[in-house]
Amino acid sequence: MFGYRVPAPDEAMLISGGRRGLGGAPFRVVTGHGKFVLPVFRKVRFLTLSMCEAEVTETCVTRQGIALHVRAVIAFKVGNDSESIINAGQRFLSDQEQMSVLTGRIFAGHLRAIIGSMTVEEIVTERQKLAAEVLDTSKTEMAKIGLIVDSLQIQSIDDGDTGYIDAMSAPHKAAIQRQAQIAQAQANQAAAEAEQDAARKQAEYARQTAVVKAEYSAQVDRAQAEAAQAGPLAQAHAQQEVLAAQTELAQRQAKLRQQQLVAEIVKPAEAEAERVRIIAIADAERMKIQAAAAASHDRVALDRMLIDQLPQIVKEAAGGLAGANVNVLNGADGLGEIAAGLVAQGLTILDSVRNNLNGGSGLKPADSPEQANGRLELQGPAAPERRTGEQK
């Protein structure tokens, strides 16, 4: 639109003519929006607000009197507030390139002043401290001209041909080299150990592989041998089963034959032996019965003979008493007692003879009636009292 002007985002629009600006400035500052500007009556200029760069290369002398070549880079810009824009516009609007030149010169002066108060060791080891002090000392001056510094970087510090920095760094270099050598030796040792470990693992793997191969080969050989022997083993097993069946059949036949022999020979023989034993037992019993019968018959005959001889025995006993002087007491009763005694002794003799026939003790077969009569004694309570030469 005619007469409407808009500044860029990184620019400040300065309008001069007409009403004065803030703080009595000869122009008004417009940023971030547009504004109608009357042509001919108003004049518009633009001031950059973008980042600018200034490089400083300066030879500075330290507190020790050693010259150092310092190279630094400063990043700066115009402040965003109206006061900074007015200050910068009044100084650099016609030649904005002068901002970098002036900034470099300002920082070069402050850099020389600060380095002159420090030693080489402090400068080398504390670069950040050096940069912070330079920024602090230059901040007021930069603000007066409407500029702000974003950063200050010291890129290099060189002592030229003096060799001070090299000498200062020699112990550190030696220590670093020593540490590097130690580290290299440790690395070499670790590499050697790693190689040895890898070699051991490889050898162990090779051994395990060989063992597995040998086991696999043995299993294959064993399987092949078993497969080769499977046929003969099966045939032998079949023959063994046939022999076992034949053996069992032979045992059954032998057992059947044994049973047949028992039925045909042993059992009849046992029956015959039992028959003979029974017959023998029967014969023995018969003979025993016959012997008993014969013995009984002999006793009967002997008893009969003794009974037949008993009168004669009594007679002989009575004849022995005939020449004796015997007084008979009690009359007829006494004679009866004597006769009874004679009869009792005759019966005793009969029992003795019977006992001798039955195996007992008593009269011997050689004894005669006369011998027996000579040993005859009258016994028993009924025996009469004998007195020689007396008569009552």
Side-chain angles (χ1 to χ4, degrees):
M1 182 182 294
F2 180 77
Y4 189 81
R5 307 294 296 273
V6 179
D10 59 347
E11 289 181 339
M13 186 172 63
L14 305 180
I15 305 172
S16 59
R19 192 173 57 179
R20 300 181 68 88
L22 180 64
F27 49 80
R28 288 181 297 171
V29 178
V30 178
T31 58
H33 58 87
K35 195 172 184 62
F36 284 99
V37 178
L38 294 175
V40 180
F41 297 99
R42 303 287 188 269
K43 189 175 183 180
V44 177
R45 300 288 298 273
F46 293 94
L47 179 66
T48 180
L49 300 178
S50 64
M51 182 65 65
C52 298
E53 179 181 309
E55 183 175 346
V56 177
T57 302
E58 193 70 21
T59 300
C60 305
V61 179
T62 65
R63 190 173 64 185
Q64 299 162 320
I66 299 172
L68 297 179
H69 301 285
V70 181
R71 182 175 178 270
V73 175
I74 304 101
F76 68 96
K77 68 181 291 296
V78 177
N80 294 327
D81 59 293
S82 299
E83 184 177 358
S84 297
I85 294 173
I86 292 171
N87 291 334
Q90 288 178 346
R91 291 170 177 83
F92 306 110
L93 186 58
S94 60
D95 188 4
Q96 298 185 23
E97 296 294 333
Q98 288 296 319
M99 286 189 296
S100 298
V101 176
L102 183 59
T103 299
R105 290 174 182 175
I106 293 172
F107 272 89
H110 289 288
L111 192 62
R112 284 194 303 268
I114 294 173
I115 288 177
S117 64
M118 298 175 66
T119 63
V120 178
E121 288 80 5
E122 291 175 348
I123 295 170
V124 173
T125 57
E126 298 180 3
R127 290 190 180 186
Q128 192 64 32
K129 179 181 178 181
L130 174 61
E133 290 183 1
V134 172
L135 283 175
D136 289 338
T137 55
S138 62
K139 182 181 298 183
T140 303
E141 294 183 8
M142 296 292 290
K144 289 180 179 181
I145 61 177
L147 300 178
I148 58 174
V149 179
D150 289 339
S151 67
L152 170 63
Q153 297 293 330
I154 298 175
Q155 294 184 340
S156 65
I157 298 174
D158 186 13
D159 61 352
D161 297 333
T162 59
Y164 186 90
I165 296 177
D166 292 337
M168 183 181 65
S169 63
H172 300 285
K173 288 182 179 179
I176 292 173
Q177 290 177 357
R178 183 171 60 255
Q179 292 178 359
Q181 292 175 357
I182 293 173
Q184 184 64 36
Q186 292 177 352
N188 294 335
Q189 182 179 0
E193 291 177 355
E195 291 179 358
Q196 293 176 0
D197 189 26
R200 284 195 299 268
K201 290 182 178 179
Q202 187 175 3
E204 180 65 19
Y205 179 77
R207 186 186 67 81
Q208 292 179 358
T209 303
V211 170
V212 172
K213 287 183 179 179
E215 291 179 354
Y216 178 75
S217 179
Q219 291 178 0
V220 171
D221 295 340
R222 185 164 53 252
Q224 291 178 353
E226 291 177 356
Q229 294 176 358
L233 286 175
Q235 185 176 1
H237 184 67
Q239 292 178 356
Q240 185 178 2
E241 290 182 352
V242 172
L243 290 175
Q246 291 178 354
T247 302
E248 185 179 0
L249 179 60
Q251 290 177 353
R252 290 183 179 179
Q253 291 178 353
K255 187 175 181 180
L256 180 61
R257 181 57 182 167
Q258 182 180 5
Q259 293 176 356
Q260 290 177 354
L261 291 176
V262 169
E264 293 176 359
I265 298 175
V266 176
K267 293 298 182 180
E270 290 179 353
E272 181 63 21
E274 185 66 19
R275 186 182 67 81
V276 171
R277 186 179 66 80
I278 293 173
I279 291 174
I281 293 173
D283 291 341
E285 291 293 330
R286 182 176 58 78
M287 292 178 65
K288 184 177 180 181
I289 294 172
Q290 289 177 357
S296 177
H297 180 73
D298 291 340
R299 286 195 298 272
V300 172
L302 181 60
D303 292 342
R304 185 178 298 278
M305 182 183 68
L306 290 175
I307 292 171
D308 292 340
Q309 296 293 329
L310 183 60
Q312 184 64 28
I313 293 171
V314 173
K315 183 180 178 179
E316 292 293 334
L321 296 174
N325 186 10
V326 179
N327 291 324
V328 179
L329 301 178
N330 299 328
D333 294 333
L335 291 175
E337 292 177 356
I338 293 173
L342 292 175
V343 173
Q345 290 200 8
L347 292 175
T348 301
I349 293 171
L350 180 60
D351 292 335
S352 298
V353 173
R354 288 177 179 176
N355 291 331
N356 287 331
L357 291 177
N358 292 329
S361 61
L363 295 176
K364 297 181 181 180
D367 292 342
S368 62
E370 290 81 5
Q371 294 173 341
N373 190 21
R375 294 194 300 269
L376 183 63
E377 294 182 358
L378 296 177
Q379 300 176 357
E385 183 181 356
R386 293 178 301 172
R387 293 183 180 180
T388 303
E390 294 182 1
Q391 183 177 9
K392 185 177 180 178

